[in-house]
Amino acid sequence: MSRMARRDGGLGVRGQKDGSLTLTGSLPPAHGLWRLAWRRLLRNRLAVTGLGVIAVFGLVALLAPLIAPHDPSAQNLRETFEPLSLNHLAGTDNLGRDWFSRLLYGARLSIAVGLFAQLIVLGIGVPVGLAAGHFGKGIDTFLMRTTDLVYAFPDLLLIILLRSVLGGSIFTLFLIIGIVSWVDIARLVRGQVLGLKGQEFIEAARSLGASDRDIMARHLFPNLLGPLIVVVAFGVPRAIFIEASLSFIGVGANPGVPSWGSMVQEAYAAIFSSPHLVIFPSAAIALLMLAFTFAGDGLRDALDPRTEVTARPRRDIEEPTSPALPVPHETDTELPRAA
Amino acid sequence: MAIYALKRLLWLIPVLLFISIVTFGLMHAVEGGPWDEDRSVPAAVTENLNRKYGLDKPVWRQYINFVTNAVQGDLGVSYQRQDKPVTDIILSGFRVTAVLGLMALLLATAAGVSLGVMSALNRNRLPDYAGVLFASLGSALPAFVLGIFLIYLFGVKLQLLPTFGWDVRRGLIPGWLPPIEQMVLPVITLAALPAAYLARVTRASLLDVLRQDYIRTAHAKGLSRTAVLTRHSLRNAAIPVLTVIGPITAGLVTGSFIIEQLFSVPGTGRLFVQSVTARDYGLIMGTTLFYATVIVVANLAVDLAYAFIDPRIRYR
């Protein structure tokens, strides 16, 4: 035992004279794989640019009340359709509202929708996937049939229906987008758990008497972090996209709330006379979405070096792939394990 | 295979039941009914209308009635459109949506596959970077943003193309296709995302194939470049591409809400948005169930098609 421990530098167990056992050797450097992934990420210039742009938008969202030159909702009917000026950096709309301030507050809504919707997605999807994969049998069948049912519901239809029932406050938007999007995560987590379940470290934990909760929370979950980060990196822009699209067709955020989607829609009527009112919010959405795409691609490549862009889509019967969402490929054992 | 297909079709029953219950429940949870107008209607009129359409019965009773009729192919009538049968409205809207979706599918496949092949054959050279850039842009831009940029460029700046409308009466094929100039912008806008996705998949798949031993063998036995490309590389690279075309088709045919709204195309998507805001119960139920059926059947068709394309896939 002790010789083996010395040879591979890992942990070993040595018997003491009094019959007790002590641990020998040292743990390998913690989070080595995370550091490697981080280094790979920093080498990817597009991804770093994307992350930088996201950080700037995030700052703007946080500091919107401090940097906005005007109240985003204040109307001034004597200054409608002002051109770009130092006072109104992006002009004003048909109600005389300062478009630049509205743009800044729009970042707030977009980022908030992206993040909080993902929290709800994770809050539903991870436990469902963990439970289905870990317990198997009846629970698995039940949970997976449920996700199949939700999956068959046309996304946008369900969103629009829920929106008309629950109303358009910001929190219901988080909730609605979360309710509709958790299925993909649940399936991903279940697939990962099924792959991990048979491995020795889970068996070891079980034979040491770990409870189901311990196994799920301390052994399975940490191994899911890598794939989850990638899914969230693609989920955030998807939520932002859904909110903007909904607001654009008039069933998103409540009227008056500064949202890039509704700004585009409001200004669309005036596209011939004041095209910049439409162009600015559209460009903001485009820029943020691009940034997330590059960052997400970079994270995927960094956390799962085996995949290259989109490898052969693997299909099996239970899991139809969705065309709009590039689901990251399965990673299994390469990510750090819980000690 | 036949048993598998049958099982999948039977799965449609619980799916439709679930969706109809959820939709029905949600619809009736919304405050207000189909008779709410800007001008208030006398209570007696509302009562009579409710009685005529059976809306005075308890909700569960209404649901049972709906299901009994729906099973017989009768989805009820639209409250907003002079009692026109919902089935007729949906089918006439779907003709527009389906034509739009199929045009976009053709464009997306042609553009996406050729870009992907171009990228893969010129790996890490200028055409590759251009292709990858297009694929990233296409998959990152929301459809309505792209649509607006196109409208601004071609409608406002250049004044070349109309920015709205889908008039099938004076089109190429009357009743089916609108005039070409009306199709250009909506079709391009709808095709951009799937084209970008197809370009990515094609590139990755072809790169994967080009690495294989049998390609080297083909070159080694003296086949010309074109022969290797057409007979060995492209044929094998096509499998993953074909597999994603299925879901893309379902997505295109059912997912054009925003484009229909943006370009005022009178398809099913726009119909649905309008029916939700108008509380047109019959039309909401009909559209939702119709879309769900289309999606389930399309997914089934795709899964079955794989077995023909790729003999390695077996269904139990």
Side-chain angles (χ1 to χ4, degrees):
Chain A
M1 269 297 192
S2 58
R3 250 172 73 205
M4 260 179 70
R6 232 176 286 125
R7 193 169 57 217
D8 60 13
L11 282 178
V13 181
R14 183 184 296 159
Q16 297 294 330
K17 281 178 198 144
D18 60 358
S20 67
L21 296 172
T22 50
L23 288 174
T24 61
S26 59
L27 281 167
H31 301 299
L33 283 158
W34 289 106
R35 197 170 298 153
L36 277 178
W38 179 242
R39 247 181 251 153
R40 270 196 296 269
L41 184 65
L42 288 187
R43 266 206 303 272
N44 185 336
R45 256 178 281 160
L46 271 181
V48 172
T49 317
L51 286 173
V53 172
I54 295 171
V56 170
F57 274 86
L59 266 181
V60 166
L62 270 179
L63 302 177
L66 294 178
I67 35 180
H70 296 271
D71 176 352
S73 312
Q75 304 183 3
N76 183 348
L77 295 178
R78 259 171 297 173
E79 288 188 359
T80 59
F81 292 121
E82 290 276 307
L84 313 190
S85 66
L86 270 183
N87 188 23
H88 297 293
L89 285 174
T92 61
D93 70 350
N94 59 335
L95 299 171
R97 294 177 295 192
D98 180 51
W99 215 234
F100 182 66
S101 306
R102 284 184 86 69
L103 280 172
L104 297 182
Y105 274 86
R108 209 161 217 224
L109 180 72
S110 286
I111 302 257
V113 165
L115 290 181
F116 286 105
Q118 282 308 298
L119 280 186
I120 293 173
V121 167
L122 289 174
I124 308 177
V126 173
V128 168
L130 271 176
H134 179 71
F135 293 112
K137 301 200 186 100
I139 296 176
D140 185 25
T141 317
F142 171 72
L143 289 175
M144 282 302 113
R145 287 300 130 198
T146 317
T147 58
D148 281 350
L149 282 177
V150 179
Y151 197 85
F153 216 121
D155 272 8
L156 265 177
L157 289 179
L158 183 56
I159 293 177
I160 295 172
L161 272 176
L162 283 171
R163 160 65 177 78
S164 66
V165 176
L166 300 172
S169 88
I170 301 178
F171 293 99
T172 50
L173 283 181
F174 301 160
L175 192 67
I176 292 168
I177 297 175
I179 291 177
V180 178
S181 324
W182 60 272
V183 176
D184 287 320
I185 291 227
R187 289 189 163 165
L188 173 90
V189 169
R190 173 180 173 268
Q192 298 279 323
V193 170
L194 286 183
L196 291 169
K197 210 161 73 165
Q199 295 190 17
E200 284 100 345
F201 72 102
I202 298 291
E203 213 172 298
R206 191 183 301 284
S207 62
L208 286 170
S211 67
D212 284 326
R213 229 198 70 200
D214 270 353
I215 291 182
M216 282 191 276
R218 301 195 40 203
H219 299 279
L220 290 175
F221 182 69
N223 282 291
L224 299 171
L225 278 179
L228 281 180
I229 289 175
V230 179
V231 181
V232 169
F234 285 107
V236 170
R238 188 162 175 256
I240 294 176
F241 166 87
I242 292 176
E243 185 277 322
S245 306
L246 287 180
S247 296
F248 174 72
I249 54 175
V251 291
N254 279 331
V257 176
S259 149
W260 290 337
S262 25
M263 289 170 75
V264 174
Q265 190 243 333
E266 286 159 16
Y268 185 54
I271 190 170
F272 283 91
S273 52
S274 315
H276 61 272
L277 292 180
V278 178
I279 298 294
F280 284 138
S282 309
I285 299 169
L287 195 59
L288 188 57
M289 297 286 295
L290 263 183
F292 268 108
T293 309
F294 289 142
D297 280 346
L299 279 170
R300 179 176 51 197
D301 294 345
L303 287 168
D304 185 6
R306 284 170 306 167
T307 57
E308 188 181 339
V309 196
T310 323
R312 254 159 204 275
R314 257 171 286 164
R315 290 199 44 118
D316 54 307
I317 243 133
E318 310 252 328
E319 313 194 338
T321 47
S322 88
L325 179 80
V327 178
H329 278 274
E330 292 174 7
T331 53
D332 36 49
T333 55
E334 292 210 347
L335 289 157
R337 290 182 184 162
Chain B
M1 188 80 161
I3 295 175
Y4 170 74
L6 195 68
K7 266 206 293 205
R8 286 283 298 267
L9 276 178
L10 286 178
W11 173 236
L12 195 57
I13 298 171
V15 165
L16 289 182
L17 269 179
F18 169 79
I19 289 176
S20 63
I21 291 178
V22 171
T23 313
F24 207 82
L26 286 176
M27 242 165 41
H28 286 269
V30 187
E31 272 177 48
W35 323 124
D36 294 348
E37 295 285 334
D38 292 338
R39 281 173 304 147
S40 64
V41 186
V45 175
T46 318
E47 248 170 61
N48 282 334
L49 280 169
N50 277 343
R51 193 164 323 125
K52 180 181 172 207
Y53 292 107
L55 295 176
D56 55 340
K57 305 219 175 67
V59 173
W60 64 268
R61 185 76 232 174
Q62 291 181 39
Y63 178 72
I64 305 263
N65 286 345
F66 172 81
V67 173
T68 344
N69 290 331
V71 170
Q72 299 158 24
D74 173 15
L75 291 170
V77 295
S78 162
Y79 302 141
Q80 293 289 321
R81 294 161 193 254
Q82 287 90 40
D83 288 356
K84 256 179 96 181
V86 166
T87 349
D88 291 2
I89 301 181
I90 291 178
L91 286 181
S92 71
F94 188 65
R95 188 194 280 188
V96 171
T97 301
V99 167
L100 174 64
L102 288 179
M103 306 285 294
L105 179 69
L106 287 180
L107 177 64
T109 314
V113 169
S114 21
L115 267 176
V117 170
M118 183 192 80
S119 275
L121 294 183
N122 297 290
R123 193 180 186 187
N124 292 336
R125 272 177 285 162
L126 194 63
D128 186 21
Y129 293 133
V132 171
L133 180 72
F134 167 80
S136 309
L137 278 176
S139 53
L141 284 184
F144 75 92
V145 172
L146 175 67
I148 290 222
F149 282 128
L150 290 177
I151 286 178
Y152 177 67
L153 188 62
F154 291 101
V156 179
K157 278 273 147 185
L158 304 174
Q159 312 245 335
L160 276 178
L161 295 165
T163 56
F164 64 89
W166 189 272
D167 187 0
V168 287
R169 276 165 309 178
R170 51 181 192 89
L172 282 178
I173 308 172
W176 291 91
L177 283 180
I180 296 185
E181 68 268 18
Q182 280 187 344
M183 285 193 296
V184 178
L185 292 185
V187 169
I188 291 181
T189 312
L190 188 56
L193 178 76
Y197 186 62
L198 277 172
R200 279 173 92 126
V201 174
T202 309
R203 175 179 182 273
S205 161
L206 188 52
L207 283 179
D208 195 33
V209 168
L210 290 178
R211 269 199 299 269
Q212 302 293 324
D213 290 339
Y214 57 79
I215 298 297
R216 200 179 317 138
T217 313
H219 280 297
K221 75 180 180 187
L223 287 184
S224 72
R225 267 183 71 106
T226 6
V228 176
L229 186 65
T230 50
R231 247 183 274 160
H232 297 266
S233 321
L234 288 184
R235 196 171 282 191
N236 280 294
I239 294 173
V241 178
L242 285 171
T243 60
V244 296
I245 284 186
I248 284 178
T249 314
L252 279 180
V253 171
T254 57
S256 49
F257 289 79
I258 285 135
I259 278 120
E260 288 177 15
Q261 199 81 5
L262 180 61
F263 292 98
S264 305
V265 175
T268 339
R270 205 159 81 109
L271 206 63
F272 179 76
V273 178
Q274 287 169 349
S275 64
V276 170
T277 32
R279 308 258 186 281
D280 195 337
Y281 292 162
L283 204 46
I284 300 176
M285 282 301 273
T287 329
T288 316
L289 292 180
F290 179 75
Y291 269 153
T293 315
V294 170
I295 290 178
V296 172
V297 172
N299 281 338
L300 171 65
V302 166
D303 282 342
L304 293 183
Y306 296 154
F308 291 105
I309 299 165
D310 190 345
R312 282 168 297 184
I313 294 175
R314 287 270 171 279
Y315 289 138
R316 279 161 288 125

